[in-house]
Each structure stands twice: as C-alpha cells, then as structure tokens.
Amino acid sequence: MDQDPVVTWALRMGDNALILGHRLSEWCGHAPALEEDIATANTALDLIGQCRMWLQLAGDAEGRGRSADDLAYLRDAGAFRNLLLVERPNGDYGHTIMRQFLFDAFHLEALEAAEGSTDSRIAGIAAKARKEVAYHLERSSDLVIRLGDGSDDSAARMRAALDALWPFTGEMFVDDDADRAAADAGVAVLPSSLREGWDATVTEVLAEARLDSPGEVWQQGVTGRGGGRRGVHSEHLGGLLAQMQFLQRAYPGARW
C-alpha cells in the first residue's frame, strides 16, 4: 500500500464509521423498543456524520477530485478499508449490541490517540468525534451489562454474540506497512498500541456482565494479506453495498 498515510488512515476510519452506521440504520423501525429504535438511529447518524468528515479528508488529501459522496457510493467492495467486524450482519439485538460494544471500545482508544496527531485535520476530526463515541461506549457497555447479567435468555444470547464476534476483534490491532508509515509520520499511532486500553475496558465490562471472555481463539484477517483493512472482505459487504449504493449506481449524479 503506497498511498499517502493520511489518505489510508482517513479511509480506514471513515469506512468503519460508514459501514457500521449503515448496519445500524437497518434497525430503523425494527428495534425491540421505541427508545432503542431512536437511540440506534441516532448512533447511526453520529457515525455517518463522522464518516463524512473522514472521507472528505481522504478525498482532499488524495487530490483526485473525489468527494465524500464519491468515496461512499462509487467504490467497489475491494476499495473499502473497514474492519471485518463492522460489516458483520446485525443478527439479533444482543448481537448488534455486542458488536457495537467491541467496536466502541476500540474506536474511543483510536480517537483519543488521534487527537495527538501531527496532522491538524486528523486531530480536529478526532476531537469532535471522541465526544460522541464516548457516549456510544457508555451506552453499549451499559446494555452489555444489563443483558449479560439479565435473564437466562438474554445472557445466553449475549454469550452467543460474544463467541461469534470475538474472532473478528484481533484485526483491530494488527500493524501493517501503512500503519508503520502513518506512525513514522506522526499521523497516527500503531493499532497494536491500542490493545492494552481496549483489553482493560472489555475485561471490566464483561466481568460486570458475568460473561466469560472467549480468550485466545483463531482470528479473522490477522495473517497474510487478508482482512478488511487491506480490502479483503466477507461476502456480507457486497450485499450491504448493493443496497447502500443502489441509487447512485442506477442514477449517477442524482440529487435531492
């Protein structure tokens, strides 16, 4: 990967926010309670707003005249740089909440570190996004605890969600050449340096939720050239993009 480290890093952050925001938007009108429907939709909107800032930065930095909309709606799956975790299907609501919690804990660590970036544009976006993501983590942590330490049924669903999603967490902390270039330039820290903080948050919340960590298990996208951050995605991203990009693909340049 020989892109400007600012472009690569902004695409990875923007694509995470875009794809997870779209996944959460799929719950609109279908969440198990009215309050959850509104809260989930608001979280999706926060992430889409953050995505717009990151993708606009990526478009400006690459200098090819592509807007945030172009990057969101006119790229094929192989050009997306999001984590495999965020493209996982929603599953039941417990599954959605567990995915959100595992990502929120990582996202907050990444944004807090990015506030110290030597690139003022990255530092500025991170400072704006961090406040929203701190609230996202507070909410998802609370729900993981309430559902994990809730009824037999809710606890079983949260254990199943944790076991299913845990193999997708290792990818968040893999350093590659693009990360090392970004770290050398002072643009961002190495993903591996975020692991300790994530571990502490996740361990504390899972203990309070009375959920056992799956521990060391085989991880997706951490070896070779695989992984969503390198553009190697699961079959689920194609279906998501087909829905998300339909209007711009069918009617290029369409405007409200």
Side-chain angles (χ1 to χ4, degrees):
M1 186 176 293
D2 55 2
Q3 280 182 317
D4 181 321
V6 172
V7 176
T8 302
W9 205 81
L11 281 177
R12 287 176 170 178
M13 293 294 284
D15 287 347
N16 281 338
L18 174 64
I19 300 304
L20 184 56
H22 184 84
R23 276 285 183 240
L24 293 178
S25 76
E26 294 171 352
W27 275 108
C28 191
H30 301 282
L34 182 58
E35 293 85 353
E36 285 303 307
D37 203 305
I38 295 170
T40 302
N42 281 335
T43 303
L45 287 173
D46 286 346
L47 291 170
I48 297 300
Q50 293 170 25
C51 151
R52 196 177 194 288
M53 292 189 287
W54 290 123
L55 294 189
Q56 190 60 59
L57 170 58
D60 292 344
E62 71 173 3
R64 296 170 55 190
R66 294 196 291 181
S67 68
D69 284 344
D70 293 335
L71 290 169
Y73 295 120
L74 299 178
R75 281 182 296 158
D76 294 331
F80 276 76
R81 294 293 179 264
N82 58 277
L83 295 162
L84 295 172
L85 175 67
V86 300
E87 68 192 48
R88 301 298 301 164
N90 285 332
D92 65 20
Y93 204 64
H95 200 100
T96 292
I97 293 301
M98 184 59 75
R99 182 188 61 199
Q100 190 69 35
F101 165 65
L102 295 172
F103 177 74
D104 287 343
F106 162 78
H107 199 190
L108 185 59
E109 293 290 331
L111 291 172
E112 287 178 344
E115 287 186 83
S117 173
T118 55
D119 188 295
S120 61
R121 298 164 298 179
I122 287 179
I125 295 173
K128 290 180 182 176
R130 180 181 58 81
K131 298 173 185 176
E132 293 175 342
V133 172
Y135 172 71
H136 297 170
L137 178 59
E138 178 181 345
R139 176 174 174 274
S140 62
S141 297
D142 178 63
L143 286 170
V144 166
I145 292 168
R146 289 165 62 186
L147 293 170
D149 192 24
S151 67
D152 289 344
D153 182 43
S154 70
R157 288 171 184 255
M158 296 307 283
R159 279 195 296 272
L162 181 61
D163 289 342
L165 294 169
W166 195 258
F168 295 91
T169 58
E171 188 193 7
M172 297 190 285
F173 309 106
V174 175
D175 302 334
D176 61 15
D177 289 344
D179 296 313
R180 285 182 277 275
D184 290 344
V187 167
V189 301
L190 291 172
S192 58
S193 69
L194 306 175
R195 183 70 191 245
E196 183 176 353
W198 183 86
D199 277 340
T201 299
V202 170
T203 298
E204 179 181 349
V205 171
L206 292 184
E208 195 168 348
R210 302 167 65 86
L211 295 170
D212 294 329
S213 167
E216 297 293 330
V217 299
W218 184 82
Q219 293 287 324
Q220 299 272 356
V222 301
T223 58
R225 298 188 59 80
R229 299 173 77 242
R230 299 186 181 98
V232 182
H233 296 278
S234 69
E235 70 276 18
H236 302 295
L237 183 63
L240 183 153
L241 293 180
Q243 180 186 54
M244 188 182 78
Q245 297 180 333
F246 168 76
L247 188 63
Q248 274 298 326
R249 297 285 192 177
Y251 305 97
R255 294 285 187 274
W256 286 104

